[in-house]
Amino acid sequence: MHLDPTDASVRRLLERNIDGPFTMLNMLRFREWADYSASPGLAPPERISGRAAYDRYVRHTIPFLHSSGGTVDFFAEGGPVFVGPGEERWDLVMLIRQASVNDFFGFASDESYMAGVGHRTAALEDSRMVPLVARDLP
């Protein structure tokens, strides 16, 4: 299970010296039922699905993303992989654009944003985030 970056992954992103905009590919696998044990104060009164918990996270997050200059460029339902392990699936895929790595880290460390991250943790069984930098076709 991979939900949060490690110190090593943060270092690797910074070592890339990305100058300017980049896009973060997010691949998300939801729990059947949200697990709010790490953030009981965010838990709704009734049990909800992981997908419903993630929707709460998105609604909480969008204003902070936009105020940091970020945008959601692509938001799509996923499913079983076409190439890869047959049992692997990603339920939701997103492309999030940020103007810079500094803007990304500013957004990700905003205390008001962080107050709602428990919805994401409750929602996800697993995730991948891949920083992408556009390039020209050869």
Side-chain angles (χ1 to χ4, degrees):
M1 177 166 65
H2 301 277
L3 299 183
D4 297 305
T6 64
D7 290 345
S9 64
V10 169
R11 256 190 322 280
R12 284 192 304 270
L13 174 57
L14 293 172
E15 288 169 354
R16 289 179 65 182
N17 293 316
I18 297 170
D19 184 27
F22 76 103
T23 300
M24 189 69 79
L25 167 64
N26 291 256
M27 298 185 299
L28 310 166
R29 183 176 313 126
F30 298 125
R31 299 175 193 268
E32 182 177 359
W33 298 107
D35 176 5
Y36 279 96
S37 60
S39 302
L42 292 176
E46 302 293 326
R47 184 166 82 155
I48 62 173
S49 69
R51 182 176 299 275
Y54 199 81
D55 288 348
R56 287 172 182 241
Y57 168 74
V58 169
R59 286 190 298 273
H60 169 81
T61 299
I62 291 296
F64 300 103
L65 178 66
H66 289 169
S67 70
S68 73
T71 59
V72 178
D73 285 357
F74 188 72
F75 191 82
E77 293 292 322
V81 298
F82 183 57
V83 175
E87 68 282 354
E88 191 172 271
R89 75 174 203 287
W90 297 104
D91 299 317
L92 186 73
V93 177
M94 297 185 301
L95 294 172
I96 308 296
R97 179 175 299 276
Q98 281 286 357
S100 70
V101 171
N102 284 340
D103 289 330
F104 169 73
F105 282 119
F107 154 74
S109 63
D110 181 292
E111 287 183 29
S112 297
Y113 157 73
M114 292 296 293
V117 168
H119 292 299
R120 181 182 187 278
T121 303
L124 295 179
E125 179 181 300
D126 203 359
S127 68
R128 301 291 184 272
M129 293 176 68
V130 182
L132 309 171
V133 178
R135 61 171 274 196
D136 294 330
L137 290 170

